[in-house]
Amino acid sequence: MNRKSSVYFLVAGVLVLIFFIVKDIFDQPGISDMKAGFKEVIKYRNANNTGPIQRIYIVTIKDSIWKEMEDYGNLMPHTKYGNTKVYFFMQNANVPTSLQPGDVNFDPVFNKDCIALYEKSAMSQVAFNKHPF
């Protein structure tokens, strides 16, 4: 094998490697690939950009696939030293229409319909609780 053909093989190998890296980057699974049928109903984010950011989401689902609910929570935005909460409800359940910051994020009347809570704390510790209330 001569030097010219070795260079062609090297270039071809690098191009194949680049192709697979780019393909892998753009072919990541996302929320649309999940089977639980997630629908974000309402969200809250405090306007405090100088202190802890608090994000709260109410999400309905068609099917209670616990692993997918936790994966969904992991995909939600989170800020270092902030807090992210995702409350999950079945699609046809009574769902809160307003949110507020703090320990109690919606009217307790809806607690019985909440099937799961995903929470990522200020120190990025994750908690996923089935039937949290």
Side-chain angles (χ1 to χ4, degrees):
M1 188 176 339
N2 64 24
R3 186 179 175 139
K4 197 174 189 179
S5 60
S6 296
V7 171
Y8 287 135
F9 280 120
L10 180 63
V11 169
V14 168
L15 289 175
V16 168
L17 183 64
I18 289 171
F19 169 79
F20 282 111
I21 290 171
V22 169
K23 181 182 178 292
D24 192 46
I25 288 171
F26 291 109
D27 199 24
Q28 295 294 318
I31 293 170
S32 61
D33 297 318
M34 297 179 178
K35 295 174 177 56
F38 297 97
K39 181 180 177 195
E40 188 177 297
V41 176
I42 189 170
K43 65 182 171 182
Y44 169 87
R45 183 199 184 277
N46 63 333
N48 186 3
N49 287 325
T50 60
I53 303 296
Q54 195 173 38
R55 290 181 172 92
I56 307 163
Y57 299 88
I58 300 293
V59 176
T60 60
I61 56 172
K62 295 178 186 174
D63 192 4
S64 59
I65 303 171
W66 304 111
K67 175 70 173 122
E68 282 195 1
M69 285 189 270
E70 189 170 359
D71 291 344
Y72 181 92
N74 287 328
L75 291 172
M76 299 308 285
H78 180 72
T79 305
K80 187 176 181 180
Y81 304 119
N83 186 289
T84 300
K85 291 181 184 177
V86 183
Y87 293 95
F88 295 96
F89 293 80
M90 292 306 291
Q91 189 174 26
N92 297 324
N94 291 327
V95 178
T97 55
S98 64
L99 294 169
Q100 63 267 355
D103 292 333
V104 178
N105 302 121
F106 51 83
D107 189 334
V109 144
F110 299 102
N111 286 358
K112 64 180 173 36
D113 291 313
C114 180
I115 62 165
L117 167 61
Y118 172 94
E119 184 171 7
K120 188 179 274 192
S121 73
M123 298 308 287
S124 295
Q125 294 177 325
V126 172
F128 180 73
N129 298 310
K130 300 173 187 176
H131 308 289
F133 300 104

